[in-house]
Amino acid sequence: GGFAGRPVMSLALQTLRRASSGSLSPDCFEDLLAQGGQLVDIRSPAEFRHGALPGALNLPLDALAYDFDQLDRQEPVILYGATQGVQCSRAARLLAGRGFSRIYHLSDAG
């Protein structure tokens, strides 16, 4: 069947192709989204409002510690939005410590 989020994926893939890090290939990213991947923007709410990927959930790094229960541990989590990989790495470690096992990240989307 069709995938209703195709325009969302298209924008996300364009962002991924611009990204400098090869943390996820476009094909892998598309597969993760199709499998129920959860796109999480870890920037501040102000940055999120000024340009986020459609469908992304805004969980800033400082809020992730107590808001992680909004996410499904059984599904892939795709982190993005940090200006440096350090923040994504911190978020990934935090989630891993709370039982998440499928954690990925994109480079800076801005």
Side-chain angles (χ1 to χ4, degrees):
F3 186 68
R6 194 56 81 175
V8 172
M9 269 188 340
S10 175
L11 174 60
L13 292 174
Q14 289 170 16
T15 301
L16 181 60
R17 289 192 183 106
R18 285 203 320 265
S20 58
S21 166
S23 54
L24 277 180
S25 72
D27 286 345
C28 183
F29 180 62
E30 182 171 344
D31 288 346
L32 285 173
L33 285 181
Q35 294 167 22
Q38 304 162 99
L39 192 56
V40 178
D41 187 328
I42 62 171
R43 297 176 301 164
S44 73
E47 290 174 305
F48 182 78
R49 282 192 300 273
H50 280 85
L53 294 178
L57 179 64
N58 186 213
L59 288 176
L61 190 52
D62 56 352
L64 199 55
Y66 54 86
D67 278 346
F68 67 91
D69 59 351
Q70 294 182 41
L71 301 171
D72 185 342
R73 285 181 177 82
Q74 307 306 315
E75 301 295 343
V77 175
I78 305 165
L79 302 168
Y80 87 94
T83 52
Q84 298 176 356
V86 173
Q87 287 181 300
C88 275
S89 295
R90 284 179 57 202
R93 282 196 303 271
L94 188 153
L95 290 175
R98 284 160 176 80
F100 291 82
S101 59
R102 300 171 66 195
I103 306 164
Y104 306 86
H105 70 86
L106 302 178
S107 296
D108 181 20

